[in-house]
Amino acid sequence: MPQSSKTHWQSLFRGEPVPDIPPPRSVEELVSRRRAPAPPALSEDEAARVLLHENVELGGLDGGLAAEIYQPRRPGPHPVLVYVHGGGWYTGSPSMDRRYCASIAAEGFLVVSVGYALAPEHPFPRALEDCVYGTRWTAKNAASYGGDPARMAIAGSSAGANLAAGTALVLHGSGPGTGVHGTFSTDVRGGDLAGLPVALSGLVLLFGLLDAHRWISDPRYYAGEPEITLAAYLGPNFSGRLRDPLVSPVHSPELHVLPATYVSCGDEDALLGDSLAMTGRLADADVPVTLSVVPNADHEFLKIPERVEGARAENERIVHWLRERLGLTDDRAIGGAP
């Protein structure tokens, strides 16, 4: 049963009780709640298996796009995973998911975690443009970090899953930003990498926010908060954009272009309906799709396997799926999933 507020998962995630906080009343108040905790250090075991490259400059539309890159400490070439962090489009950074990305890299994947520009300072579609650019940059430069750009996937969590799905739609579809006229109403700028082809072999959607219209209309969701968050991301007149396929990928008419997809969500997550709906739409579009609903798990559970029973096993399933999609045999794996 989905939780009625985010207090439950935030308390689990932080390892201490979190008080019920009233929803923000304005975009300014939402932004004032941004948290920038100190980036976690890698454990000795993670550091022994993974080389972390911090603040790697990618360039981007204004020259300020950066990423964290996690490189296995063994000879490549390694399959490549582009990772997109969550945070409701208005907060978060690659460093907040550092331990999670390192755990995947320790399994033999080159992981590139893109630090896209945040709303409201940079409203839609800027975050998506940064993710598209970062994925193209990765395809062009992965070999410099021991990666194999012919074996690439993209993953994202929460709002990052939204951006990961949108990125795959842009790169595999026929809309603006791909060089071919198509169905997208939003022009996605490509900067100096516009038109660079990228073939993704897999898409991983972790407790994704995939349907903005559902988020704002479903009474089980966090009343009052979606309106302010969407106003920050899309602007004050956001209602006309709720079903834009690059805002709500579940409504895309081009889902058939997506690669094989793994959808993961906890059964206590308020966004479970998004995962279920996306799975059905992908199946209808003949996209190979795997759905995993983990019992007694809430939002962000995969990143705290020490506190949520079933998280470790789910992480192992995701890694196994990525290995199969990207051609990483078990004998080349480095260690166990988190």
Side-chain angles (χ1 to χ4, degrees):
M1 179 74 176
Q3 299 285 333
S4 60
S5 79
K6 60 183 184 181
T7 302
H8 177 258
W9 75 258
Q10 288 191 339
S11 296
L12 275 175
F13 193 78
R14 298 185 191 179
E16 60 184 14
V18 173
D20 241 338
I21 300 175
R25 292 167 294 181
S26 67
V27 170
E28 291 73 22
E29 184 179 346
L30 180 78
V31 172
S32 73
R33 296 183 181 183
R34 282 176 178 161
R35 295 178 67 250
L42 299 186
S43 68
E44 290 185 8
D45 179 62
E46 290 165 337
R49 294 189 288 168
V50 176
L51 177 62
L52 169 61
H53 303 272
E54 299 183 63
N55 297 315
V56 178
E57 296 182 1
L58 311 187
L61 299 180
D62 61 6
L65 183 61
E68 289 197 346
I69 298 179
Y70 306 82
Q71 181 179 357
R73 290 185 183 270
R74 63 175 295 171
H78 309 289
V80 180
L81 181 69
V82 176
Y83 180 82
V84 187
H85 69 81
W89 303 290
Y90 73 92
T91 189
S93 68
S95 64
M96 79 179 197
D97 286 347
R98 181 172 290 177
R99 298 292 297 272
Y100 189 70
C101 289
S103 71
I104 297 173
E107 296 295 330
F109 299 90
L110 177 71
V111 179
V112 179
S113 183
V114 180
Y116 55 88
L118 300 176
E121 296 88 347
H122 302 280
F124 175 80
R126 178 56 186 275
L128 178 61
E129 291 172 334
D130 282 352
C131 292
V132 169
Y133 189 98
T135 304
R136 285 181 168 140
W137 183 95
T138 300
K140 182 178 180 182
N141 295 278
S144 300
Y145 296 88
D148 179 3
R151 296 183 292 156
M152 279 185 61
I154 187 168
S157 61
S158 195
N162 175 290
L163 294 169
T167 297
L169 285 168
V170 170
L171 293 174
H172 283 208
S174 57
T178 65
V180 181
H181 178 69
T183 58
F184 296 152
S185 60
T186 301
D187 185 18
V188 178
R189 298 171 297 165
D192 60 307
L193 296 182
L196 181 73
V198 178
L200 297 168
S201 298
L203 170 64
V204 180
L205 305 176
L206 308 177
F207 26 88
L209 202 174
L210 304 168
D211 186 346
H213 184 269
R214 175 188 293 269
W215 194 39
I216 206 169
S217 62
D218 192 321
R220 291 176 300 176
Y221 288 12
Y222 315 142
E225 184 169 333
E227 292 86 347
I228 301 300
T229 302
L230 288 168
Y233 184 48
L234 302 175
N237 300 315
F238 60 81
S239 60
R241 284 180 158 173
L242 293 179
R243 286 189 170 91
D244 184 311
L246 297 181
V247 173
S248 296
V250 73
H251 295 297
S252 173
E254 290 203 335
L255 290 178
H256 62 279
V257 307
L258 292 178
T261 303
Y262 191 103
V263 181
S264 176
C265 196
D267 71 348
E268 296 185 355
D269 195 321
L271 295 176
L272 176 60
D274 286 42
S275 292
L276 299 177
M278 188 66 167
T279 300
R281 293 275 287 125
L282 289 169
D284 289 343
D286 293 327
V287 175
V289 58
T290 299
L291 170 66
S292 181
V293 179
V294 178
N296 305 311
D298 203 348
H299 206 57
E300 297 279 356
F301 74 99
L302 291 172
K303 300 166 190 176
I304 47 172
E306 69 280 6
R307 298 182 194 135
V308 178
E309 185 178 0
R312 197 175 304 278
E314 177 65 355
N315 277 318
E316 290 172 354
R317 286 189 289 269
I318 292 168
V319 166
H320 179 75
W321 186 88
L322 283 169
R323 286 177 185 163
E324 289 190 330
R325 293 303 309 168
L326 301 181
L328 180 62
T329 57
D330 286 342
D331 63 336
R332 294 194 64 196
I334 297 177

